[in-house]
Amino acid sequence: MSLESESGLAGDALPGVLSESLHAELVAFRRDLHMHPELGNQEFRTTAAIKERLEKAGLRPRVLATGTGLVCDIGVKEGERPDVPVLALRADIDALPIPDMKADCPYRSTVPDRAHACGHDMHTTIVLGTGLVLADLHEKGLLTRPVRLIFQPAEEVLPGGALGAIEDGVLSGVGRILAVHCDPRVDAGRVGLRHGPITSACDRLEVLLDGPGGHTARPHLTTDLVTAAARVAVDVPALIARRVDTRVGLALTWGRIESGHAPNVVPQHAELAGTVRCLDLEAWRQAPDIVHAAIDEVATMHRAKSEINYVRGVPPVVNDKGSADLLRRAMAARRGRDSVESTEQSLGGEDFSWYLEHVPGAMARLGVRRPGERTVRDLHQGDFDADEHAITVGVEMFTAAAFLDDSDD
């Protein structure tokens, strides 16, 4: 059945529909990646697999200077500059340092304590599949604009592998950049979109507290670091929440707290670590000073010396309206207007935001939940998995976007 898009083009009028044979190949490719996950900046096998398949299609991918990740142009002659801005499609290729907990799954991870629990294997397969489809269309003289594939390493490593890729020139000549991220709350066959910020900023925080310890029978002669650490853990997030407009969503959440070795010894050292997340770009720029001041106040109150390691992470992903609308039109052309739903801004971080500091672009939330499934396998959990029908959805959305993009007009 033909579905009308907002552009007036019917879905079957746009080239780039995925064949059953290519879908089957891409599913096998994704499962191979899923079985062999690699951490950020260690994605050598993944990089080699992508490179081999692109070269088999007659393309000329270039491995990034970091040694992992690739960039590959379609519709651009080697050594020449394109006549119009390039449409870039970005995928992240790294995995997470957690065990794969899926039971009775033939493609579960074969690497201990490593898993594609965030869907990067899906993202990679979708951009690869899009490249294969567009390369074939280019050979037939049907591709109307140049497209660049970016396979980026180390998304999970703050401040993100996007910075190294940008430094390596992947945005040269790019007019717009698009990406997807798996969303296990959305059914396969659908995507979530919004204008403006779709993720939050995310920074990493480590706090070291020191002071003279002693016997728990005489805590008044010590700096009670256990109590000091507990007060920092409880009071600092509350102080931060009262020093900014609550609408900016500045939040500190602790993930680790350690101190002491014996029940009758006041320790001399305590450590806390967590993340700072923020929905607003301007508030994110102010966050380090606000967090530093709050920690110093609480630590001083308890006579503890504090050392703060505030690691800048990523700003929010802020979807450009034109780019989000392009993805909306592409999905409508392929699967009808009802295939797109509004989505909320999340507190998750994504280094795709660094690209958007340079060029307009947008990220869509790709539905990967099996329709009718009640259990939500959330991101960053060991039992995460995806409905592989979403591969076809992602490829066909991106190929439609390549034909509907009018950013050079």
Side-chain angles (χ1 to χ4, degrees), residues 90 92 118 120 155-156 158 181 198-203 275-278 313-317 346-353 363 365 379-380:
R90 174 268 199 174
D92 36 12
C118 203
H120 293 188
E155 190 276 331
E156 299 286 356
L158 288 178
H181 198 296
I198 192 171
T199 69
S200 79
C202 180
D203 299 333
T275 58
V276 178
R277 299 178 186 270
C278 186
V314 294
V317 172
S346 80
L347 280 168
E350 235 289 353
D351 76 348
F352 183 68
S353 55
M363 171 174 281
R365 293 211 168 102
L379 302 172
H380 288 220

Side-chain angles (χ1 to χ4, degrees), residues 57-60 72-87 130-131 133-149:
L59 298 172
R60 296 177 178 271
C72 182
D73 284 346
I74 304 169
V76 180
K77 292 184 179 179
E78 191 172 9
E80 293 186 3
R81 293 180 63 86
D83 297 330
V84 296
V86 176
L87 174 67
T130 303
V133 172
L134 292 179
D136 180 64
L137 293 173
H138 175 63
E139 285 295 315
K140 297 174 180 177
L142 298 176
L143 185 62
T144 57
R145 66 173 306 108
V147 174
R148 177 168 299 159
L149 314 177

Side-chain angles (χ1 to χ4, degrees), residues 201-269:
C202 180
D203 299 333
R204 189 173 69 242
L205 176 66
E206 296 174 346
V207 181
L208 308 180
L209 300 176
D210 288 288
H215 202 295
T216 56
R218 293 174 287 278
H220 60 291
L221 301 180
T222 73
T223 292
D224 187 353
L225 280 185
V226 173
T227 297
R231 296 318 310 179
V232 167
V234 173
D235 293 346
V236 170
L239 282 174
I240 291 171
R242 290 297 179 267
R243 293 183 179 180
V244 294
D245 189 325
T246 55
R247 290 172 294 185
V248 307
L250 181 61
L252 165 58
T253 304
W254 302 107
R256 180 174 67 86
I257 180 169
E258 296 181 9
S259 186
H261 300 283
N264 61 345
V265 177
V266 176
Q268 295 178 306
H269 185 71

